[in-house]
Amino acid sequence: HGAAGRRAVVMGKESAATAHDTSGGFGSMREAYETVGAAGYYESHGSNYRNPHETVLLEALALGLSALEEKGLIDASSRPLRVLDLACGSGEA
């Protein structure tokens, strides 16, 4: 947990710094939704939106999958793994 935990905290700060950029110039996604609505936001900014936490999420997923593979619980060498994202969507509110 040590180095990985510290890295996540540092990356979290980087993500917070880029949140303004990813929210289309609004102070936050909440402000953007309150000002122009979710549909209006994604109509204007959807093609440019990137989740500011994407880097941390991808790293966490990679670490978790690597740990499972090291323990022999999954095998990604013979076939691609599939993930069911229960929180998936296009960002609609």
Side-chain angles (χ1 to χ4, degrees):
H1 288 30
R6 285 191 296 277
R7 180 165 165 76
V9 169
V10 170
M11 293 177 76
K13 289 179 183 177
E14 291 169 6
S15 294
T18 62
H20 180 75
D21 296 334
T22 62
S23 61
F26 293 95
S28 67
M29 290 304 297
R30 179 180 299 275
E31 180 185 338
Y33 284 2
E34 289 173 352
T35 303
V36 297
Y41 174 81
Y42 288 101
E43 183 177 316
S44 299
H45 304 284
S47 63
N48 299 322
Y49 175 79
R50 297 293 297 207
N51 184 325
H53 309 291
E54 181 177 1
T55 304
V56 175
L57 294 170
L58 289 173
E59 184 174 326
L61 183 60
L63 287 171
L65 291 173
S66 293
L68 290 172
E69 193 163 29
E70 287 173 9
K71 292 180 180 186
L73 298 173
I74 61 172
D75 179 9
S77 65
S78 60
R79 63 187 172 124
L81 295 175
R82 294 191 263 177
V83 176
L84 175 60
D85 183 353
L86 298 176
C88 64
S90 300
E92 301 88 4

